[in-house]
C-alpha cells in the first residue's frame, strides 16, 4: 500500500481514539478518508458519513480494494436509492440523510466509531449529526476536515 502523509499519525490517532472523540485536520489528499476507516475498523464496525453520494460510493470501492475485499462485503455503502452492504460489513460509507435515518431507527447501535468526513463542507445535516453524536457515549466520534 502506498505511503500517505496521514500514515505518520497512526499511533497518535489510535491513542486519541482510545481516549474519546477525535478531530483530525489534514490537507486534502493526505489519506483521511481512506486510512482512518481502516484503522477504526480494527476496533469494531465504523460508519463514515460522506457529504456526497458519489464520494460515498467511490470511497467504498477504493477502501474495499485496499482491504482486499469486494464492495458489499467487509466494506459497503448506502446512499439514497442505492445500497451495497450486508451483515458482514464492518466499514460503511453513507450520506448524512442515511445516517440520520439509521440514528433514528436504532441509535447506530451496530457501529463502534462514527466518522464525519469533510466536516469543513458545513451543512445543517452534518452539524445536527455532530451535535447528536457528541452528546452520547455510545460511539467514538471522529471529525475530519481539510
Amino acid at each position: 500500500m502506498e505511503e500517505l502523509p496521514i500514515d505518520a499519525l497512526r499511533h497518535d490517532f489510535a491513542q486519541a481514539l482510545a481516549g474519546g472523540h477525535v478531530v483530525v485536520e489534514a490537507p486534502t489528499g493526505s489519506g483521511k478518508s481512506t486510512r482512518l476507516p481502516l484503522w477504526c475498523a480494527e476496533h469494531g464496525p465504523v460508519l463514515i458519513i460522506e457529504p456526497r453520494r458519489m464520494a460515498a460510493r467511490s470511497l467504498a470501492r477504493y477502501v474495499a480494494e485496499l482491504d482486499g475485499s469486494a464492495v458489499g462485503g467487509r466494506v459497503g455503502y448506502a446512499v439514497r436509492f442505492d445500497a451495497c452492504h450486508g451483515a458482514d460489513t464492518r466499514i460503511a460509507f453513507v450520506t448524512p440523510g442515511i445516517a440520520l435515518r439509521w440514528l433514528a431507527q436504532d441509535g447506530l447501535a451496530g457501529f463502534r466509531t462514527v466518522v464525519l468526513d469533510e466536516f469543513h463542507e458545513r451543512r445543517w445535516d452534518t452539524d445536527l449529526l455532530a451535535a447528536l453524536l457528541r452528546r452520547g457515549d455510545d460511539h467514538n466520534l471522529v471529525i475530519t476536515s481539510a
Side-chain angles (χ1 to χ4, degrees):
M1 197 175 336
E2 175 189 348
E3 180 95 8
L4 293 174
I6 199 81
D7 291 335
L9 301 176
R10 184 175 184 161
H11 178 73
D12 293 339
F13 176 76
Q15 283 187 320
L17 190 60
H21 303 320
V22 180
V23 174
V24 177
E25 183 180 357
T28 300
S30 62
K32 298 179 303 294
S33 300
T34 57
R35 293 295 204 267
L36 297 181
L38 291 168
W39 299 347
C40 291
E42 293 173 359
H43 307 285
V46 58
L47 181 72
I48 303 93
I49 302 166
E50 290 293 333
R52 294 171 311 282
R53 286 179 282 189
M54 181 183 283
R57 285 190 294 256
S58 63
L59 281 166
R61 287 186 198 103
Y62 183 69
V63 171
E65 182 181 313
L66 291 176
D67 187 54
S69 61
V71 175
R74 187 172 140 77
V75 181
Y77 67 87
V79 300
R80 190 170 60 165
F81 307 126
D82 186 16
C84 188
H85 62 87
D88 295 333
T89 301
R90 306 240 331 137
I91 301 171
F93 289 86
V94 303
T95 51
I98 299 292
L100 283 167
R101 184 174 43 164
W102 289 2
L103 181 63
Q105 287 173 345
D106 69 1
L108 303 177
F111 297 99
R112 175 159 169 86
T113 304
V114 177
V115 178
L116 274 169
D117 200 18
E118 305 289 350
F119 195 70
H120 59 275
E121 293 187 15
R122 302 293 298 277
R123 300 164 28 139
W124 72 268
D125 47 7
T126 54
D127 284 356
L128 177 60
L129 282 161
L132 293 171
L133 293 168
R134 199 177 121 228
R135 292 180 25 211
D137 293 331
D138 300 334
H139 312 94
N140 289 324
L141 177 61
V142 177
I143 295 178
T144 71
S145 181

